[in-house]
Amino acid sequence: GGGTITFGAAGDVNLYRVSATRLQTDDNFTCDTVKVTPYTTAARPAAATVGAGTMYYDTTLSKPGFSDGTVWKDAAGTTI
């Protein structure tokens, strides 16, 4: 399990984290993909500003970046 994200003013759609790699809506539709905001390396926000756990797609490097609350890292843990 995990947290819930609600979309819409009246809670039209709830998105649940059902495992480390799966999200599910309240109608039991399982999503295997999630689109995150793309940025170039130069245009991405500061890792400290967005906070730990934030992810974006780096269009310059063609890979995701993850904030540890201080710097951006790739999936291998290398600072990007």
Side-chain angles (χ1 to χ4, degrees):
T4 303
I5 301 171
T6 302
F7 298 93
D12 300 326
V13 177
N14 294 303
L15 186 62
Y16 303 94
R17 180 178 179 262
V18 295
S19 73
T21 59
R22 288 191 104 48
L23 299 174
Q24 180 174 307
T25 63
D26 49 358
D27 65 357
N28 292 324
F29 176 74
T30 301
C31 304
D32 290 324
T33 61
V34 175
K35 183 174 181 179
V36 297
T37 304
Y39 291 102
T40 62
T41 302
R44 69 186 178 198
T49 300
V50 297
T54 301
M55 183 175 118
Y56 81 103
Y57 183 77
D58 193 305
T59 58
T60 305
L61 303 174
S62 297
K63 62 182 172 181
F66 304 89
S67 171
D68 69 3
T70 304
V71 297
W72 290 104
K73 297 190 176 230
D74 65 14
T78 303
T79 299
I80 56 173

